[in-house]
Amino acid sequence: MTDATLDHVFDVTEQNFEADVLNASLDTPVLVDFWATWCGPCKTLGPLLEQLAAEYKGAFRLGKVDVDKNQQLATMFGIRSVPTVVLVKDGQIADGFAGALPLGQLREFLERHVQALEGETEEVELPAETPEAAINRLQQAIAAEPDRAELKLDLATALAQAGHSDAAASELDALPANLATDARAVRLRHQLELARSLKDAPAQAELEQRIAANPADWEARDLLGVRLLLGNDPGTGLEQFLAILEKARDWNDGAAKKRLIAAFATLDDAELVSRYRRRMTSLLF
């Protein structure tokens, strides 16, 4: 913790709560972090809150409550799990949340309630969270709050990003029915299916050579399309599937149509999807 952070972070006890939280919040909002030394997600959330306290430079203060040492405060706030964060403003609870949120969501939470001091904020760039770090954070959060099923979908996504396809698929299979059909879950299933098709597949250069030698090598076109789709050239990947659809619609039990539908579900570029969906339709009907 830096000296700048220390200026805006303090320990809350039952003795100083009224003066340093309730009364102080009449002038400056106080974010109260209920934590415990044994809590894994607390170790992730705490440093992020301290960083934001330093960034806001006094627009809010961060009070830290060790629930094991201040059980009366935890009971008064109805704390059922840690970490739990409560925003106290004008002497009253204004908002709060439970669990270890990522930095972006913490910023959004603060922006709803805290007016940054003009010219005072200085956003500190943090390295992007790696998939492995996200996996660790989410596993700790799930251990603390096993009933939050949405965390398991987040974990499946992080596992897929880290290349752990089988583990990601297992998490997806274990989702409750209401989340199994969630758009993110459907998208991830398609991504995993596409990625699995590349197991033991030739490299891109070899596939391109096969197509140059035989334009009707539909298997090579199919695998090249998947490689390009999951790489940095999705448009060219879609072209491979369209080529199969046009010349060999029934190849491999209509694989080209299935690839296109899966691709549309995974792509973020709405214009690209719309354009190629129209081309697919024109070939089918």
Side-chain angles (χ1 to χ4, degrees), residues 7 69 100 220:
D7 292 339
K69 296 180 179 178

Side-chain angles (χ1 to χ4, degrees), residues 69-112:
K69 296 180 179 178
N70 299 276
Q71 295 182 11
Q72 186 174 340
L73 283 179
T75 300
M76 183 175 71
F77 276 86
I79 303 302
R80 297 180 179 275
S81 64
V82 288
T84 292
V85 176
V86 175
L87 180 70
V88 182
K89 193 174 182 180
D90 298 323
Q92 298 181 347
I93 297 175
D95 203 350
F97 61 86
L101 300 183
L103 186 60
Q105 292 183 32
L106 293 175
R107 291 192 197 281
E108 292 173 6
F109 175 85
L110 286 172
E111 287 169 2
R112 293 199 298 268

Side-chain angles (χ1 to χ4, degrees), residues 206-266:
E206 181 180 340
L207 293 170
E208 290 171 343
Q209 290 172 359
R210 284 173 54 179
I211 294 169
N214 176 17
D217 187 338
W218 309 127
E219 181 186 54
R221 283 194 181 276
D222 177 61
L223 293 174
L224 178 61
V226 176
R227 283 208 178 279
L228 293 169
L229 178 68
L230 298 180
N232 57 4
D233 195 358
T236 305
L238 294 173
E239 290 288 349
Q240 303 302 319
F241 304 140
L242 284 176
I244 301 172
L245 190 65
E246 181 179 12
K247 301 293 185 181
R249 178 186 302 188
D250 296 328
W251 174 78
N252 198 19
D253 196 24
K257 178 182 175 182
K258 296 175 184 177
R259 292 289 199 221
L260 286 163
I261 292 172
F264 297 154
T266 64

Side-chain angles (χ1 to χ4, degrees), residues 6-152:
L6 285 169
D7 292 339
H8 313 298
V9 180
F10 65 101
D11 289 326
V12 179
T13 65
E14 291 158 6
Q15 289 70 40
N16 70 358
F17 173 77
E18 183 174 358
D20 291 350
V21 176
L22 288 183
N23 294 341
S25 73
L26 298 174
D27 298 316
T28 304
V30 180
L31 199 64
V32 184
D33 174 23
F34 291 88
W35 67 285
T37 55
W38 44 263
C39 165
C42 297
K43 297 174 183 177
T44 300
L45 179 66
L48 297 181
L49 294 175
E50 291 166 9
Q51 180 209 327
L52 289 169
E55 284 183 22
Y56 272 73
K57 296 184 177 180
F60 77 91
R61 297 193 72 209
L62 175 62
K64 311 272 291 181
V65 179
D66 183 334
V67 295
D68 291 329
K69 296 180 179 178
N70 299 276
Q71 295 182 11
Q72 186 174 340
L73 283 179
T75 300
M76 183 175 71
F77 276 86
I79 303 302
R80 297 180 179 275
S81 64
V82 288
T84 292
V85 176
V86 175
L87 180 70
V88 182
K89 193 174 182 180
D90 298 323
Q92 298 181 347
I93 297 175
D95 203 350
F97 61 86
L101 300 183
L103 186 60
Q105 292 183 32
L106 293 175
R107 291 192 197 281
E108 292 173 6
F109 175 85
L110 286 172
E111 287 169 2
R112 293 199 298 268
H113 301 288
V114 178
Q115 182 65 46
L117 300 179
E118 187 174 353
E120 287 295 315
T121 58
E122 179 182 339
E123 187 169 313
V124 178
E125 290 292 334
L126 286 182
E129 185 180 42
T130 65
E132 294 294 350
I135 291 169
N136 182 59
R137 170 175 60 79
L138 289 164
Q139 287 174 334
Q140 292 179 348
I142 290 169
E145 300 177 87
D147 293 332
R148 288 185 62 193
E150 67 275 12
L151 291 174
K152 298 175 183 178

